[in-house]
Amino acid sequence: MDGEKIATLLVLAFAILSLLREWLPVGMVAILAPLILVICGVLEPAEMWAGLSHKAVVAVAGMFVVSVGVSRTGAVAFLGDALSHIAASGRRRIVAVMMIVVAVMSAFVNNTTVVLVCLPVVLTMCERMDHPPSRYLIPLSFAAIFGGMMTMVGTSTNIVVAEVGHAADPEFHPGMWDFFPVGVLFVIVGVAYMTLVGLR
């Protein structure tokens, strides 16, 4: 194994440990890792910054801006508040309705934003019902992930997949709903599992 490969593995190990142990802020790790590779001669300076100018990264950044804009209109908060109205229902119904609502919201708004908006609502509901938050926060997270997979804009992963796929094959042009068949299958199976089995 040559020096460049060893340096790359060491920097990768440093980055993973820094993120897991929270030694440094995420942004600093993201800058330091490629910077060290430039200093070691593994990367050229232009290559270090190439990732930040990639269309997928710009698209993801724009998606977060749009998500914040939608949230500030009150649309996401309105849907999130609807969860509190079913707090008196059975636990299975709460989980099922919450996951469906969150999945639908995540299909059109970035799933991280949806979780941040719904988190206080779910915590308040748990406090009122004297239930452990873990019973609802894990289904909330899963629903946001599954719902985000249904459309191009629901999660940054789909945008990156579309861009990388197009770079590899110029004929590859996924549309807004091309991910829907797989995403909705995950939503259906995920809601059924968490409602019938996961709560145990």
Side-chain angles (χ1 to χ4, degrees), residues 11-24:
V11 169
L12 183 60
F14 158 75
I16 293 173
L17 285 174
S18 296
L19 294 173
L20 289 177
R21 298 288 186 175
E22 297 182 352
W23 291 336
L24 298 169

Side-chain angles (χ1 to χ4, degrees), residues 95 98-99 102-103 106 111-112 114-116 118-119 122 133-149 187 190 194:
V95 170
M98 177 191 70
M99 289 188 72
V102 169
S106 295
N111 48 18
T112 304
V114 173
V115 171
L116 290 175
C118 293
L119 189 60
V122 174
S134 60
R135 291 181 179 176
Y136 303 98
L137 295 183
I138 292 175
L140 170 67
S141 175
F142 288 170
I145 294 170
F146 295 151
M149 295 172 64
V187 171
M194 292 306 301

Side-chain angles (χ1 to χ4, degrees), residues 52-135:
L52 293 176
S53 62
H54 194 277
K55 290 190 295 183
V57 175
V58 175
V60 170
M63 182 179 63
F64 277 106
V65 174
V66 172
S67 296
V68 172
V70 172
S71 299
R72 290 189 177 182
T73 64
V76 177
F78 173 78
L79 293 174
D81 289 340
L83 293 174
S84 62
H85 297 303
I86 61 168
S89 304
R91 192 173 55 164
R92 293 184 188 279
R93 184 184 173 194
I94 293 172
V95 170
V97 172
M98 177 191 70
M99 289 188 72
I100 292 171
V101 170
V102 169
V104 171
M105 294 190 323
S106 295
F108 302 99
V109 180
N110 182 265
N111 48 18
T112 304
T113 304
V114 173
V115 171
L116 290 175
V117 170
C118 293
L119 189 60
V121 177
V122 174
L123 290 176
T124 300
M125 182 179 68
C126 290
E127 184 178 354
R128 189 162 58 213
M129 299 172 62
D130 196 26
H131 283 179
S134 60
R135 291 181 179 176

